[in-house]
Amino acid sequence: MRRLRGFAIIGGQATVALNRRDGMHHAQNLIICEHCDSVYQKRKLLRGQVADCTVCGAVLERHQWIGVDGQFALIVASLIVFVIANVSPIVTLKLSGMAEDTTLWGAVIAMWNDGAQIVAVLTALTLFFFPLSQLMIFAWVLWFARDGRRAPGFAEAMTALVRVKPWSMIEVFMLGTLVAVVKAHTYFDVVPGAGIWAFGFLTVLITVFSSHDARHLWDVTGDAKA
Amino acid sequence: MSAPPRAQELGMMSCHVCRLVTAYSEDPHAHCPRCHSALHVRKQGSIARSWALLLAAAMFYIPANVFPIMRTQSLSSKDDNTILSGIFELWRAGSPGLAVIVFTASIVVPMLKFIIMTVLLVSVQRSSGLVSKQRARLYRFVELIGYWSMLDVFVVAILSALVHFQILSRVEPLPGVVYFGVVVVLTMLSAMSFDPRLIWDNRKSQ
């Protein structure tokens, strides 16, 4: 991955950029580092390039290497995998002729029944509701973005995506399942179920997808009113 | 190379949610013209909120480690595991590699978050201009590792759902795991309340 330094601008240019759009007072050709407030001129990135802030080193922008259609396809695939991950058993344990398996919801219900309701809610939110709403909102905005349009409720949807992002924890769950399997393996026969493969695949899809900044959609879609 | 100008000096600000650059506004109730989210130059009450959440997390971290997080029950024995004893058991009976991963996620990561957030908050309050770049890197690190401490919570959840062989064997969650989940959420909220731009606020413009 090639690292690029952000393009510094001088004060004068920035003022011009802001004033050109009379009355509007905003500039789409500038980017401000979220971590240190430095101002840069946006520049076109090539495949694999990442623009870093020269002051604090935070990532300003990445090249968006999958088009809107591709992103939509990825989201549809993720939704399908998400359904499989949630309805199939994650693992099956066997002990002297008895077998016990669980899905993600089995784990949530077990926590609730055993008096750890806070954890049950936390698990349900971070592994089911947040990832699911993320996927559905993405599917919604991308569906319209394919024709360069902004979906109804676009602003609210984009805001929700930014807010929900840090609270989706599928990757951590993947590793957690692995630890649980090894722990259980000492006493039981462990048979991995379809759910664990689906979660693994989902982790990969989400990782690919999250290299894309959703906020890019603001730039590739037009305002319906304008 | 001269450093790039800062938004504040140029009379600009950027929306947290959609990143649109707009002209600076004094109005505390200003809204982004594009996505209608609230605009503010610096997160409001950032330091106080961040401190409060961090201290609350540190307090909950004590019961999270002292109380057992799960009970393993079988015909002959009843075993209560804390986070640390679970790690030891994993080391002995399971795989040492995973024990290291769990140790990192449940002990090292929360401790690092406490230490790093304290360092960041103290240095910002003393408006230290020292090693800003390193502190900025520390902050991004805290954001990155944020949720990995949920690992052990999920392990307990899966095991208690799986191991239900009537009288033979059973795994139950115990209160420790609840405190632990709360610690993770609080530390994440604390890191989110912190405004990394404060690190650079006394940078001299060139």
Side-chain angles (χ1 to χ4, degrees), chain A residues 9 14 18 25-27 32 35-37 39 55-56 58 60 91 98 100 114 166 171 176 182-183 215 218, chain B residues 5-7 12 17-19 21-23 34-35 42 90 98 140 147 151 162 164 168 173 188 196-197 200 203:
Chain A
I9 53 155
L18 272 181
H25 294 300
H26 54 75
I32 298 183
H35 282 190
C36 73
D37 230 14
V39 184
V55 177
C56 74
L60 286 173
V91 274
M98 292 185 288
E100 189 83 46
D114 287 334
E171 308 92 298
V182 171
K183 279 198 175 191
R215 293 172 290 193
W218 280 106
Chain B
R6 303 195 68 206
M12 290 191 242
V17 177
C18 75
R19 297 195 87 172
V21 177
T22 54
R34 189 161 74 170
C35 73
R42 296 290 175 267
L90 201 59
L98 281 182
R140 289 202 297 278
Y147 57 33
L151 186 68
L162 269 181
H164 264 283
L168 281 177
M188 280 177 73
R197 289 171 298 186
W200 303 94
R203 188 187 98 184

Side-chain angles (χ1 to χ4, degrees), chain A residues 70-80 134-135 138-139 142 209:
Chain A
Q71 292 185 42
F72 185 71
L74 262 180
I75 282 296
V76 172
S78 307
L79 274 167
I80 296 169
Q134 227 182 343
L135 291 175
F138 254 126
L142 283 170
F209 198 81

Side-chain angles (χ1 to χ4, degrees), chain B residues 146-188:
Chain B
Y147 57 33
W148 283 96
S149 326
M150 279 300 272
L151 186 68
D152 236 13
V153 176
F154 292 150
V155 172
V156 176
I158 299 164
L159 283 180
S160 29
L162 269 181
V163 186
H164 264 283
F165 294 107
Q166 290 111 39
I167 45 161
L168 281 177
S169 171
R170 204 175 137 65
V171 170
E172 273 174 77
L174 291 178
V177 78
V178 177
Y179 290 108
F180 204 82
V182 173
V183 169
V184 181
V185 172
L186 287 174
T187 50
M188 280 177 73

